[in-house]
Amino acid sequence: MDGSAMRTMKLNKVFTLLEPGPVVLVTTHDGKQGNVMTISWTMVLDFTPRFAITTGEWNYSYRALKKTRECVIAIPTADMLDTVVGVGTCSGADTDKFAKFGLTPLPGRIVKAPLIRECAANIECRVVEIVRRHDIVVLKAVAAHQAPSRKEQRTLHAVGDGTFIVDGRRLNRRRQMAVKIPEGI
Amino acid sequence: MDGSAMRTMKLNKVFTLLEPGPVVLVTTHDGKQGNVMTISWTMVLDFTPRFAITTGEWNYSYRALKKTRECVIAIPTADMLDTVVGVGTCSGADTDKFAKFGLTPLPGRIVKAPLIRECAANIECRVVEIVRRHDIVVLKAVAAHQAPSRKEQRTLHAVGDGTFIVDGRRLNRRRQMAVKIPEGI
């Protein structure tokens, strides 16, 4: 098994992938082909886990998301910055982004939207509700996979001005935070 | 003027404070006193700027937020980790958190919730709508302030397991991202 192999991840830990606020890749499958978009506007809603993402008609992927009510949130790492930027600056309307950026689609366990082999983790999601007046899509994770033996695990944080911050040091306050950490995390 | 003095910030740049996904402090004022909570679940909704935060009855601050429909989102920095953890693990129901953690409340320009002098930036917000079934509070920024000459500007990202990631290197892709960066950012 190579170092980037995906393993099943427990659903109760999935919120820890999105809580730090990384830029993510969101895949969809419209019935004919897969597509992927870069999204920085995400939020944890619940430990169960539920998430929100902001998207709408301005993203080509939105119509597949709306139709299939499924997607995959993939977590790219620091070494994938140019892929993140490239995916975010062209459209699935005229581009096969998996081919263009050398991303390998893998079948999910539950949803038809593809996992991305090159990412550190992939979260299979179903749409719970689209809150249209705020362009908020509420998602529920139904399966998740990670590549824990992958060497690069640092994620990227989009600033919104064309710069990106790479994860730096990790500081441990588990003891002080104990009352707030869900059981088993 | 000392290095931590707050200056007015243009509203069109405010989304860049939250897009990277930092843990934040959210202040409220219930008419009698100020309070502050730690929130990691935030999301940009629009450049105008609008934001979403996840909160509800489980946070003591929520009742002031609901009543006054105002709050301030303050951005703490890496040197404030123990304040962030402390504020997040006690309740305004029985604690004056500004006093306990040595935070200095400053008057805002528009809202009654206090700014936090020690933070790198403060965003005065009004509640647009509370989407109760998902515990999402939609906010609109009405004024913002930052301390650009403050030495420590690195923010913190909560992982949710009691660890926190400090901002590392910043990588520049402004040229490649140009088509996606709003005018003037």
Side-chain angles (χ1 to χ4, degrees):
Chain A
M1 190 164 72
D2 77 55
S4 64
M6 290 282 162
R7 294 182 203 174
T8 300
M9 185 179 181
K10 284 190 179 161
L11 282 176
N12 67 339
K13 297 197 175 186
V14 171
F15 81 96
T16 66
L17 298 172
L18 285 188
E19 175 145 340
V23 63
V24 301
L25 299 175
V26 176
T27 81
T28 50
H29 196 287
D30 65 6
K32 290 184 190 159
Q33 66 173 0
N35 190 20
V36 52
M37 62 178 164
T38 297
I39 290 270
S40 183
W41 297 357
T42 71
M43 175 169 72
V44 179
L45 287 176
D46 191 354
F47 299 111
T48 53
R50 283 185 187 224
F51 309 115
I53 66 174
T54 301
T55 181
E57 300 289 352
W58 64 88
N59 286 131
Y60 181 75
S61 297
Y62 181 70
R63 59 190 81 180
L65 183 60
K66 206 169 55 175
K67 183 180 133 194
T68 63
R69 298 183 75 82
E70 291 181 350
C71 67
V72 167
I73 299 177
I75 313 289
T77 48
D79 51 326
M80 294 175 69
L81 175 58
D82 290 316
T83 298
V84 166
V85 170
V87 166
T89 51
C90 67
S91 173
D94 54 24
T95 307
D96 176 347
K97 298 201 227 180
F98 277 88
K100 179 167 180 175
F101 298 104
L103 297 172
T104 312
L106 294 178
R109 191 160 65 81
I110 295 179
V111 308
K112 290 214 177 65
L115 315 182
I116 300 176
R117 185 193 172 77
E118 288 74 17
C119 285
N122 284 274
I123 311 167
E124 299 183 45
C125 297
R126 287 230 170 96
V127 172
V128 173
E129 186 188 344
I130 299 178
V131 184
R132 280 180 191 258
R133 67 191 174 287
H134 299 297
D135 300 312
I136 295 171
V137 178
V138 176
L139 300 169
K140 179 188 176 117
V142 291
H145 316 268
Q146 62 178 160
S149 55
R150 193 179 186 288
K151 198 166 177 188
E152 178 64 272
Q153 292 283 345
R154 294 176 304 161
T155 66
L156 293 161
H157 304 267
V159 177
D161 64 354
T163 67
F164 294 81
I165 296 167
V166 182
D167 283 349
R169 288 177 58 201
R170 189 184 284 232
L171 305 173
N172 187 340
R173 291 296 184 278
R174 281 183 69 83
R175 190 174 54 77
Q176 297 86 336
M177 287 291 295
V179 294
K180 290 287 184 176
I181 303 173
E183 184 111 5
I185 301 300
Chain B
M1 189 165 72
D2 79 56
S4 64
M6 289 282 162
R7 293 181 204 175
T8 300
M9 185 178 180
K10 284 190 181 162
L11 282 177
N12 67 338
K13 297 197 176 185
V14 171
F15 81 96
T16 65
L17 298 173
L18 285 188
E19 176 145 340
V23 62
V24 302
L25 299 175
V26 176
T27 81
T28 51
H29 196 287
D30 65 6
K32 290 182 189 160
Q33 67 173 0
N35 190 20
V36 54
M37 62 178 164
T38 297
I39 289 270
S40 183
W41 297 356
T42 70
M43 173 169 74
V44 179
L45 287 174
D46 191 355
F47 298 112
T48 54
R50 282 186 187 223
F51 309 114
I53 66 174
T54 301
T55 181
E57 301 288 352
W58 65 88
N59 286 130
Y60 181 75
S61 296
Y62 181 70
R63 59 191 81 179
L65 183 60
K66 206 170 55 174
K67 182 180 134 194
T68 63
R69 298 185 74 82
E70 290 181 351
C71 67
V72 167
I73 300 176
I75 314 289
T77 48
D79 52 326
M80 294 174 71
L81 175 59
D82 290 316
T83 298
V84 166
V85 169
V87 166
T89 51
C90 67
S91 173
D94 55 24
T95 308
D96 176 346
K97 298 201 228 179
F98 276 88
K100 179 167 182 176
F101 298 102
L103 297 172
T104 313
L106 295 177
R109 192 159 65 80
I110 295 180
V111 307
K112 291 214 176 66
L115 315 182
I116 300 176
R117 185 193 172 75
E118 287 75 16
C119 285
N122 285 273
I123 311 167
E124 298 183 44
C125 296
R126 286 229 170 97
V127 172
V128 173
E129 186 189 344
I130 299 178
V131 184
R132 279 180 190 257
R133 68 191 173 286
H134 299 297
D135 299 312
I136 294 170
V137 179
V138 176
L139 300 169
K140 180 189 175 117
V142 292
H145 317 267
Q146 62 177 161
S149 55
R150 193 179 186 288
K151 197 166 177 188
E152 179 63 271
Q153 293 283 344
R154 292 175 306 160
T155 66
L156 293 162
H157 304 267
V159 177
D161 62 356
T163 67
F164 294 81
I165 296 167
V166 182
D167 284 348
R169 289 177 59 202
R170 189 183 284 233
L171 304 173
N172 186 339
R173 291 296 184 279
R174 281 182 69 82
R175 190 174 54 77
Q176 296 87 333
M177 287 292 295
V179 295
K180 290 285 184 176
I181 304 172
E183 184 109 5
I185 301 301

